[in-house]
Amino acid sequence: MALISLAGTGGFQDASGAPLAFGTLKVQLKDDLLISSSQICSGRESSFNLDANGNVVSGSLWETATYTFRAYSAQGLLVWSMD
């Protein structure tokens, strides 16, 4: 199972259409994964910082896994989510 880079992706915006500058993208694994001989349990959450344009600064996810995504403003307010 390969990793997909998230760096430079996103372009997240707030309700007014402004970039979600310096916010956070939180990603939660929906199903258990078995990678080589290691198991990763569902529910694990990872956080990725967003830059001034609302893009992910750096990070990667497993390509065949399913996730819940939530984007938060720099103040910690939920702005967007997707299951």
Side-chain angles (χ1 to χ4, degrees):
M1 189 177 300
L3 289 172
I4 297 174
S5 175
L6 297 178
T9 63
F12 292 98
Q13 299 176 345
D14 64 17
S16 69
L20 198 55
F22 308 109
T24 304
L25 178 65
K26 293 187 178 184
V27 180
Q28 187 174 28
L29 187 61
K30 291 176 85 171
D31 301 307
D32 293 348
L33 289 179
L34 183 60
I35 301 168
S36 299
S37 62
S38 298
Q39 182 173 352
I40 302 173
C41 295
S42 64
R44 180 182 166 95
E45 186 174 85
S46 298
S47 294
F48 303 99
N49 294 326
L50 303 178
D51 64 15
N53 298 312
N55 294 314
V56 176
V57 176
S58 67
S60 56
L61 297 175
W62 297 106
E63 70 176 342
T64 59
T66 54
Y67 299 92
T68 298
F69 295 88
R70 292 183 182 87
Y72 293 85
S73 69
Q75 294 77 27
L77 301 173
L78 178 64
V79 175
W80 173 82
S81 68
M82 183 179 86
D83 284 328

